[in-house]
Structures are given as C-alpha cells and as structure tokens.
Amino acid sequence: MTTTSHNVLPEELEDLVALFDVRGTDTPTPDDEREAALAAPRFGTVFTDHMARISWRHDSGWLDRRIEKYGPLQLDPATAVLHYAQEIFEGMKAYRHEDGSVWTFRPDANAARFARSAHRLALPPLTVDDFIGSIAALVRTDEAWVPSGADSSLYLRPFMFASEAFLGVRPAAQVEYLCIASPVGPYFAGGVKPVSIWVSEDYHRAGPGGTGDAKCGGNYAASLLPQTEAQQHGCDQVCFLDTTTNTYLEELGGMNVFVVKDDGSVHTPELTGSILEGVTRSSILRLVADRGYDVVERRIPLEEIVSGLADGSVREFFACGTAAVVTPVGRLAGSTFDHPVADGEPGELTMAVRTELTDIQYGRAEDKHGWMRRLA
Ligand SMILES: *Cc1c(COP(=O)(O)O)cnc(C)c1O
C-alpha cells in the first residue's frame, strides 16, 4: 500500500481505547441467543450489542468518543447524506486465534485508506489512532461476539457520513463516525466454489478523476444495475472495464482481480485512480512475490485475457477482498465471448494464496510481514 505504516504498540492501544467512554447497553443479548447467532452466522444480518461512535463539528473537530448500545439512528429527513451521498466506509475482520486472543489484519492500511477516502469525499479525516482505538474499544466491549468456528470472524464496518440537516451543496459541518460489527461464518458454506463473471461493456463503476479509488457507498450504488445485468446473463458478479477506452480490466463491484499465466507470471490491473486499492490485493502481491512469481501491475486488455482463456495461456483468474478473501473465477463471459477458466475448477495458486493468507489471519502461520495487530 502507498501508506505510511503506523505500528500501534499494545501499550499505546490501551491509551487509545481509554479515550472511549463505554456506555454499555442495559439490555444485552441473552447468552443463548448470542450463541445461536454465532453458531450459524449469515453475512451482515446480525449485529453485536454495541457500536463505536465519534461525532464531528466543524468548529470543534472530533468529540465524544464512545461505545454505545447498537440501535437505529434518528435522522432529520434533510440529513445531507440522504441527498448527496457524502459517505465513506471500510471493511475489516477480527479473528479469534486458538489461544482465545483476538486479532485484526493491517488496520493501519484500512485507517490510511479511510483518511484518503475522507479527503476525496470532503469529509474530515479521522486519525489512525481514533480509527484503531474505536475498533479495539468495540471489539473489547463485544468480545463474546467474536466467533471461534473455522473461517468465522467478526466483520467490522467503520463508516462516516454527513449528518448535518440541510439541502445546500457543500461539505457538511456535522459528521458522524461509527463502527458496527457482525459475526460472520465461512463465505463459502460447503467449500470454496468458483464464481462466474460477466464483463460489462455498457456500464462503468468509476472514471478518471471520479471516486473509484475511494471506498464510498456511491460507487456501490452505481454497480447495482450492472450487477443485476450480470445475473440476467447467468453470471454471479460483474467486472468493469476502464471508462476511457472500454478495453482494459478494472475490478468487480467490490473485489480486485488477478490473472495467473502459464509462464508463471501473475498480473493485476495497475492502480489508475479508478480502481480501489484493496488491502487483500496489496497483501497478495506481496505473498505471490515471496513465492518467486513474476508479479506485474499493468493495464490488462480484456482481449488478451479472452484469447488467453481460449488458448490456455491464462491458467487462473481470481477475485479478492476482505469479505470472501480469495474467490476463484471459473467462467468469464461478455457479449461476444464465454469461456471457462482452465477446467472451471479453483486454480492451484489461487487456493494456495487463499490458504496462506487465512493461515496468517487465524494465527496458524507465522506473520512474517508484521500484518497482525492484537485487539483483545
Ligand atoms: C473494499 C473493496 C475492495 C477490496 O478491498 P479489501 O481492502 O481487500 O477488502 C475492492 N474493490 C472495491 C471497489 C472495494 O470497495
């Protein structure tokens, strides 16, 4: 990542967490209900008892760091975010290791990206300390909600939005930052299954100078119709091309993409400003280079991939992001082509990288790059 690494030491973490006033709920979820939710978590449907929150006022900056009861927000109908979508978010996970400790993966990278997204959306930057402190304070308060099942985790969703009630078009003078958490099970229940991808030639998710490299809800809103179009063509996900030439691969609605060739090279679209720089993407670039592969970040013509699938020189294709980690792609289709990726089964390097990354995250493999941070 093009970020300044901020290594938060455990003692420092105590100080950051202490800034948060814990206002615990007086109606916590009963133990048996929580255990039932943890036993069969469905992505993003059940949330923990609390949320982290910090408010921002133009005149006084960030104030009132707190952990409070999870619950609905009361918003004036004129609240700016509802009209002009001044909003950003992050996605991370807390992992329980075998000894019971709870860790997260490269939170400094998410914090730095959150600050870059804030800048692009004219929102106030949250410091790395407040970002990591809020997550640690929430995870400690709701530690009992961190699942221990295989490939389970506590999904963390930090977000920030314009909370000022006004209809003028200018950056809001009132902003709320929150972090909510949801226990999640294995993304692929019943084993990793390759997905099919539709390449959209009619729609784009982001253009030059736009918000493609910021993690904002608006990008997702723009991806929903093309996603529906992909499903109408019998595909699971949509892949976008660059806006200028409509010929280069960019990414999926919420995942970056990688291609493995038969000459032992691994390729991913270079960051042009309209692609979101995934933490998973940057970690995989590192792991694949460690394995001795020739790693190339460049503009990748769709045409090269389509002919490579036809002649067998493209051996593997996968997508990556925090939620699903690594997702093998088994089929690539568009208006003029429809090819399986090799035999349609998950690729060897795809699965090896997936295992290596999840082993680091769950504490089953040595963390050579110092990516893990203990939260509780
Ligand atoms: C979040 C996101 C990704 C993946 O980022 P990670 O940090 O790896 O989770 C990729 N593309 C888009 C558009 C995203 O919003």
Side-chain angles (χ1 to χ4, degrees):
M1 306 278 298
T2 52
T3 60
T4 46
S5 158
H6 185 105
N7 195 343
V8 176
L9 302 168
E11 315 90 72
E12 285 175 6
L13 194 55
E14 297 306 321
D15 296 344
L16 303 184
V17 167
L19 295 175
F20 285 77
D21 181 22
V22 180
R23 302 170 196 166
T25 174
D26 46 16
T27 53
T29 307
D31 288 350
D32 54 340
E33 258 180 57
R34 187 188 63 242
E35 291 308 324
L38 291 183
R42 283 185 32 236
F43 189 88
T45 53
V46 173
F47 295 90
T48 67
D49 285 329
H50 298 89
M51 56 192 187
R53 187 163 185 177
I54 318 179
S55 303
W56 183 86
R57 301 289 174 267
H58 182 261
D59 297 331
S60 32
W62 290 108
L63 41 96
D64 205 7
R65 290 161 182 79
R66 63 222 191 252
I67 301 295
E68 59 185 35
K69 179 182 162 78
Y70 181 95
L73 305 172
Q74 198 177 23
L75 296 180
D76 187 290
T79 301
V81 68
L82 301 177
H83 303 274
Y84 306 124
Q86 196 189 2
E87 185 268 358
I88 57 169
F89 66 95
E90 272 300 325
M92 312 160 65
K93 285 173 172 173
Y95 308 89
R96 193 177 291 283
H97 288 187
E98 209 181 337
D99 65 358
S101 58
V102 180
W103 300 68
T104 193
F105 183 72
R106 303 186 68 184
D108 43 317
N110 292 90
R113 185 170 70 190
F114 199 55
R116 295 200 301 275
S117 298
H119 177 72
R120 181 63 185 84
L121 273 287
L123 284 161
L126 189 73
T127 64
V128 175
D129 283 356
D130 272 337
F131 184 88
I132 294 178
S134 71
I135 285 160
L138 177 61
V139 167
R140 287 174 185 206
T141 306
D142 282 336
E143 205 205 308
W145 286 90
V146 184
S148 47
D151 286 335
S152 298
S153 60
L154 186 65
Y155 184 79
L156 301 168
R157 168 52 58 87
F159 62 104
M160 188 196 291
F161 65 92
S163 57
E164 187 181 357
F166 78 115
L167 291 183
V169 182
R170 60 154 168 80
Q174 289 182 22
V175 170
E176 292 292 310
Y177 162 78
L178 291 97
C179 180
I180 57 175
S182 170
V184 295
Y187 194 88
F188 296 96
V192 176
K193 207 174 124 280
V195 299
S196 52
I197 286 187
W198 175 259
V199 180
S200 178
E201 285 156 49
D202 303 327
Y203 297 107
H204 297 94
R205 68 174 281 284
T211 55
D213 60 355
K215 204 165 176 75
C216 66
N219 292 338
Y220 278 71
S223 75
L224 298 177
L225 179 63
Q227 170 67 25
T228 306
E229 188 193 59
Q231 282 158 351
Q232 282 162 357
H233 287 100
C235 291
D236 302 310
Q237 295 275 334
V238 59
C239 182
F240 295 99
L241 299 175
D242 76 291
T243 307
T244 310
T245 70
N246 214 29
T247 57
Y248 296 105
L249 289 184
E250 293 225 308
E251 61 170 320
L252 311 188
M255 282 191 274
N256 297 115
V257 294
F258 277 83
V259 174
V260 184
K261 294 209 176 184
D262 63 353
D263 62 1
S265 60
V266 177
H267 306 249
T268 192
E270 71 178 353
L271 302 172
T272 54
S274 51
I275 295 175
L276 197 281
E277 182 177 10
V279 178
T280 319
R281 174 189 181 277
S282 90
S283 308
I284 288 174
L285 283 172
R286 193 62 195 266
L287 294 180
V288 169
D290 289 352
R291 282 172 178 261
Y293 284 85
D294 181 16
V295 185
V296 197
E297 291 179 73
R298 65 180 174 95
R299 303 231 282 173
I300 304 176
L302 170 66
E303 183 47 42
E304 175 192 319
I305 301 309
V306 171
S307 58
L309 289 172
D311 68 22
S313 59
V314 169
R315 300 294 294 272
E316 303 183 30
F317 195 117
F318 65 86
C320 67
T322 297
V325 195
V326 170
T327 304
V329 174
R331 176 184 159 216
L332 194 73
S335 62
T336 58
F337 60 93
D338 191 342
H339 292 294
V341 178
D343 59 1
E345 292 302 311
E348 205 178 301
L349 182 61
T350 302
M351 294 310 285
V353 164
R354 182 187 168 82
T355 301
E356 187 175 4
L357 196 51
T358 50
D359 280 352
I360 294 169
Q361 291 168 336
Y362 286 91
R364 296 183 295 248
E366 193 198 335
D367 174 23
K368 291 193 193 101
H369 299 291
W371 284 338
M372 302 304 291
R373 294 282 183 281
R374 185 165 176 178
L375 294 176

